[in-house]
Amino acid sequence: MAIYLEMPELDKEFPFRILVNDGDILTTPHWHREVELIYVTKGTISLGIDDVPYKLSEGEIAFIGGGLIHYVLASPGSERLVYQFDLNYFTAGNKENLDLQKMFADLIPVSPQWKPEDEAAVRSLLENMNHEALDQRTGYQFSLKAELFALITRLLRTIPKKAKQSKKLNKLATQDVLEKLDGIFSYVEAHYQEEVTLQDIAEVSGYSSFYFTKFFKKNTGKTFLTFLNEYRIDKAKWLLINSDLPVSEIITQTGFESDKTFYRLFKGSMAMAPLEYRNTMKIE
């Protein structure tokens, strides 16, 4: 799975699913266009959303808008339900012309920071959806859709906004563009520890270097070199919070040829040194 893009396999007729993950399942930093909610049903989990670490206990919820980078650390003894749905299904013909991706990205993402009655209401909706999905009684999909509309309304109307806007909100492209980007990102995932040239990645995409440069900038908002450096930095961040490797080894493992370049890019991205980031982001 590429660090940046995950493409959940959802039913095209009804793009929604519920997964059960135990605490041994960790997810490296990734994003997807689908909205995701994580409901902790057992124990405690540690996760990060938009470079902010959180710890959630049984009964608590994380809400992750489409396009936000997030991860879940290994949390032994825990269990969580993961709800994913494609917002486009529910906004077709939306006359309010709301930018729901932006609105959702700016909401406070964890339920301990919501009002207790809002946390309880969202928890009830999630539990009802899970029961409907498990029982699959006649008309269960109608019930699921009704619960999802109620959930979206509740989130929009009652969940407070963050004091600071999200730093990284990945553009939600069309399905064919996402599939093309997925191939590009997957190649980077397999080769980021090596030298990756513009010509290499253009050949993988099936475009000329000139057309690839235009395609990539148009659909990601950044040059490929900027993306590659950010990708390697994000890999380094993951190793900093999920391992005890020395920084010198992390630099080698993430494909940077120069320590100076790594430190410059890391500080430019996070406004702090790598070890300071490790101490800040690790959740005890």
Side-chain angles (χ1 to χ4, degrees):
M1 177 185 67
I3 193 172
Y4 268 102
L5 179 61
E6 179 184 272
M7 298 182 67
E9 296 182 2
L10 304 183
D11 188 332
K12 291 182 179 179
E13 298 299 320
F14 181 39
F16 167 80
R17 70 175 180 176
I18 303 174
L19 308 173
V20 182
N21 288 344
D22 64 37
D24 293 327
I25 297 177
L26 57 81
T27 58
T28 56
H30 67 285
W31 67 274
H32 38 72
R33 74 177 186 180
E34 291 75 15
V35 172
E36 179 169 308
L37 290 99
I38 298 174
Y39 174 37
V40 183
T41 54
K42 180 181 177 182
T44 299
I45 70 168
S46 298
L47 71 160
I49 305 170
D50 197 28
D51 274 327
V52 179
Y54 300 98
K55 179 170 283 189
L56 297 180
S57 299
E58 184 174 332
E60 295 177 340
I61 302 155
F63 169 74
I64 304 159
L68 289 177
I69 294 178
H70 55 285
Y71 61 82
V72 180
L73 300 178
S75 308
S78 69
E79 183 181 82
R80 60 190 184 269
L81 294 175
V82 180
Y83 300 71
Q84 294 176 332
F85 61 92
D86 188 343
L87 199 58
N88 288 336
Y89 179 86
F90 300 92
T91 56
N94 174 23
K95 294 182 179 180
E96 292 186 77
N97 196 28
L98 300 175
D99 185 353
L100 291 181
Q101 185 199 11
K102 181 67 169 61
M103 294 174 71
F104 278 164
D106 289 338
L107 298 180
I108 291 177
V110 291
S111 66
Q113 298 177 22
W114 305 346
K115 291 180 180 179
E117 58 267 31
D118 294 326
E119 181 184 49
V122 173
R123 184 188 304 117
S124 177
L125 287 166
L126 295 178
E127 290 175 349
N128 290 343
M129 281 189 277
N130 189 46
H131 291 152
E132 289 286 355
L134 290 173
D135 294 343
Q136 295 195 3
R137 295 183 295 167
T138 301
Y140 79 96
Q141 284 201 349
F142 294 111
S143 178
L144 282 173
K145 292 172 186 177
E147 300 281 5
L148 279 166
F149 276 113
L151 174 65
I152 292 168
T153 303
R154 167 69 66 169
L155 293 168
L156 287 173
R157 288 182 175 177
T158 64
I159 304 306
K161 292 184 178 180
K162 294 180 287 191
K164 294 183 178 180
Q165 294 183 341
S166 296
K167 293 182 295 181
K168 291 183 179 180
L169 187 58
N170 291 286
K171 185 177 180 180
L172 303 188
T174 59
Q175 185 68 19
D176 58 333
V177 170
L178 285 175
E179 290 174 356
K180 178 67 75 172
L181 289 173
D182 186 48
I184 294 167
F185 295 161
S186 295
Y187 180 86
V188 173
E189 171 72 9
H191 298 280
Y192 71 92
Q193 294 172 310
E194 311 162 13
E195 181 183 6
V196 180
T197 68
L198 180 62
Q199 183 62 38
D200 292 334
I201 200 66
E203 289 178 0
V204 168
S205 69
Y207 296 142
S208 67
S209 296
F210 174 76
Y211 187 79
F212 171 81
T213 299
K214 293 181 64 176
F215 168 84
F216 197 85
K217 182 67 180 293
K218 176 182 177 181
N219 290 288
T220 66
K222 61 191 74 173
T223 67
F224 177 72
L225 179 59
T226 297
F227 162 77
L228 181 61
N229 284 332
E230 289 181 353
Y231 190 96
R232 287 168 167 161
I233 289 294
D234 278 346
K235 280 290 189 183
K237 285 154 54 180
W238 172 249
L239 290 172
L240 284 165
I241 62 177
N242 206 44
S243 78
D244 294 318
L245 290 172
V247 175
S248 59
E249 178 62 23
I250 289 173
I251 293 172
T252 299
Q253 288 197 18
T254 50
F256 284 99
E257 297 181 357
S258 162
D259 290 9
K260 183 178 179 181
T261 299
F262 170 78
Y263 279 103
R264 176 178 57 81
L265 291 172
F266 194 97
K267 193 163 185 180
S269 173
M270 302 311 302
M272 64 180 75
L275 290 181
E276 184 182 356
Y277 177 83
R278 168 176 274 170
N279 293 331
T280 301
M281 297 296 290
K282 273 201 168 182
I283 307 174
E284 300 300 333

